[in-house]
Amino acid sequence: CDAIGSLDPHERRKIMKMNLGKRFILATMLFVPLVSWAAEQSIEINEPWIREAPPVAPVLAAFMGIKNLSEQQATLIAVTSTHFDHCEIHQTKMADGIMKMIHLPQLLIKANNEVKLEPGSYHLMLMKPKTPLKAGDEVDLTLKFAEGDEITVTTPVRKVE
């Protein structure tokens, strides 16, 4: 500070302007990636959960809300988890008076819209658990979208009364 104080006023202003410019550049370098990251987060997952099943159950079901925050349609194309042999996207539908589960190759989420995965509707089928799961356990599910997004969601197992 003493060195700057000993400079003439013109030189001091020059140094202060330079420091201000460097601060502006640094702030811009830090801020722009944050804005870009926020813009890329176009999918929001709400209230994920897995229905508890008996320890020998070969299949479990997962539910959640998938909210598309973008102006473009999003397409869920795959779900993976290290806790299961494989995962599938399903929909329960009434056909000829019988409830049927239909395997879907993908799930479309319209722009600025939310699709609820819930019992009796869309859901994720989690096939062949590698270990028994009980209420209170947590499982990571990775949702993969055609647009390139991959979102890993820590999903609690819940007992349904």
Side-chain angles (χ1 to χ4, degrees):
C1 286
D2 289 338
I4 292 174
S6 64
L7 296 173
D8 68 77
H10 177 69
E11 287 296 317
R12 258 188 294 193
R13 268 183 269 152
K14 218 162 111 177
I15 290 173
M16 293 302 280
K17 282 182 184 178
M18 184 175 74
N19 286 341
L20 181 62
K22 285 181 181 177
R23 283 184 277 175
F24 176 76
I25 290 169
L26 180 60
T28 301
M29 289 171 57
L30 293 173
F31 180 71
V32 169
L34 288 175
V35 171
S36 298
W37 177 82
E40 291 173 11
Q41 300 303 311
S42 59
I43 301 292
E44 182 178 284
I45 306 300
N46 299 307
E47 301 179 33
W49 63 285
I50 296 171
R51 176 180 279 161
E52 182 184 51
V56 294
V59 179
L60 282 81
F63 310 98
M64 64 191 69
I66 304 174
K67 191 171 189 177
N68 180 0
L69 304 170
S70 77
E71 299 295 324
Q72 306 296 318
Q73 174 176 287
T75 307
L76 177 64
I77 56 170
V79 179
T80 60
S81 176
T82 59
H83 294 276
F84 299 93
D85 182 61
H86 66 283
C87 307
E88 297 178 355
I89 306 164
H90 279 223
Q91 181 181 24
T92 303
K93 274 189 165 181
M94 181 69 77
D96 300 323
I98 300 171
M99 291 297 277
K100 295 184 178 183
M101 270 194 283
I102 301 163
H103 174 252
L104 303 174
Q106 60 189 18
L107 179 62
L108 305 176
I109 302 104
K110 293 180 183 176
N112 297 306
N113 212 328
E114 183 174 15
V115 172
K116 294 275 189 183
L117 280 63
E118 54 193 7
S121 182
Y122 295 110
H123 56 279
L124 303 176
M125 294 302 298
L126 312 173
M127 312 294 195
K128 299 181 183 174
K130 294 181 180 174
T131 59
L133 297 171
K134 62 185 181 321
D137 291 342
E138 291 184 334
V139 172
D140 284 342
L141 300 176
T142 301
L143 285 65
K144 297 179 183 186
F145 293 84
E147 298 74 24
D149 292 331
E150 278 194 22
I151 301 171
T152 298
V153 182
T154 301
T155 310
V157 178
R158 290 194 335 211
K159 187 174 194 152
V160 178
E161 301 296 324

